[in-house]
Amino acid sequence: NFKNWSRGKIADLIEKLYEDEENAPSVVALDLNFNDYYNYEDDLRLAKACEGKDVIIGSIIVYRGAVEVSDEGERFFNKEHISDIEMPYEELNQTTQTGYSNQYISSDGYVRYAQNSVKVPKELSDKAGNELDSFAYRVYKTYQSKNGEEIYIPRTNRSGQFQFLYSGKAGEFSKVSLDAVLSDKVRPEAFKDAIVMVGAYAPGFQDSYQPASDRGKVMYGVEIHANVIQAYMQGKTMISPNNFLMAAIVCAIILLFIILFNKKNLFVTIPVSVGIALLYALAGRILSSKGIYISCIYVFASLALADLYFVIEKYFLELLENLRYQEEIKEQMWSFTEAMAAAIDERTPYNASHT
């Protein structure tokens, strides 16, 4: 049970990583929550080991829905109301930096969004300040500042979130065990000027999620944070435009296609629909390079349905029409045959003798 571990082990790790100053890491990020005391002696030792070093500790935001009043004076229910923030214990909080490590799970169960920071409610500002960075953003900013690099601030939606692209699938980041580092099985050069992230990497820690990049597999929280940091560094962040605007654009494209090509030959309409889909995908690719994400699935599905409608209208309806004509011809033939039969039955004896 990790909760029963001595925090002296984490202190040993920090001391080991900074033992050789020439090969010391740039940042050490502990995706662990030390929000209360366990063993006071070890707790103080961990705080002392982090002193003077760029160590970031995870904190936890506790969300509980509450009724709030908007700037316009309207009352509303905010399901993301911040009721508390679990910060590191006092001595550790004084010698480290902190960022909240909450993951944001979409309605479909996958993690594809992240945040830069949140505004802290006034009643919690004494413990967390007016604004608190996310764990990944705090690690990224610290690393960039230490190395004299520019800090990229991605645009966010109304909820303060942005979508990020994963750099790889689950398990692709380099990883070593805590025991391997403490027992000198890993060369110090491996951590030189790097971001060293420490976190749970086993099912029992209950810190696993469904990544949008590798469906069907789980990814541990520390690795998701690593992907977010990589997205910051490579500019792989995006926001989605207004849903109503995108719905209007998609409807306009499909309606225009149906109006212009409804009566055209299928050898024309189907290639045109494929061309529209490719152009839309190209536009999406260009916009993604500008940090804007648009979904292509609705356009592709709508064009496919429009093509299916054209096929049904062109062939099946014509087939039904042809079958109707055939029935009419049959009826006319039967009527003609019956008329001829009646005429023969009513023939004169003279005509009959010459039959």
Side-chain angles (χ1 to χ4, degrees), residues 245-285:
L245 174 62
M246 291 308 303
I249 292 174
V250 172
C251 289
I253 292 173
I254 301 305
L255 286 175
L256 190 61
F257 172 68
I258 292 174
I259 292 171
L260 294 178
F261 295 93
N262 187 24
K263 300 301 181 181
K264 300 292 184 181
N265 189 289
L266 288 177
F267 290 105
V268 175
T269 57
I270 292 178
V272 168
S273 67
V274 173
I276 293 174
L278 292 175
L279 287 174
Y280 194 85
L282 178 62
R285 188 68 178 267

Side-chain angles (χ1 to χ4, degrees), residues 173-274:
F173 278 93
S174 299
K175 55 186 179 295
V176 293
S177 68
L178 173 64
D179 177 69
V181 177
L182 295 180
S183 57
D184 294 323
K185 294 178 181 178
V186 182
R187 295 175 61 86
E189 293 84 355
F191 306 115
K192 180 178 173 62
D193 300 328
I195 297 175
V196 177
M197 305 194 69
V198 183
Y201 219 83
F205 290 102
Q206 298 181 345
D207 190 33
S208 59
Y209 305 88
Q210 294 286 338
S213 64
D214 196 11
R215 303 197 173 196
K217 294 186 178 181
V218 298
M219 183 177 286
Y220 296 105
V222 66
E223 194 170 3
I224 290 180
H225 289 308
N227 274 279
V228 177
I229 295 169
Q230 193 75 20
Y232 278 122
M233 291 181 170
Q234 297 179 346
K236 293 182 177 180
T237 64
M238 299 177 291
I239 59 171
S240 299
N242 184 277
N243 290 334
F244 294 105
L245 174 62
M246 291 308 303
I249 292 174
V250 172
C251 289
I253 292 173
I254 301 305
L255 286 175
L256 190 61
F257 172 68
I258 292 174
I259 292 171
L260 294 178
F261 295 93
N262 187 24
K263 300 301 181 181
K264 300 292 184 181
N265 189 289
L266 288 177
F267 290 105
V268 175
T269 57
I270 292 178
V272 168
S273 67
V274 173

Side-chain angles (χ1 to χ4, degrees), residues 115-116 133-141 151-153 232:
Q115 283 186 316
N116 296 325
D133 288 337
S134 69
F135 183 72
Y137 192 47
R138 172 57 64 177
V139 173
Y140 164 72
K141 287 201 307 184
I151 296 175
Y152 165 68
I153 305 175
Y232 278 122

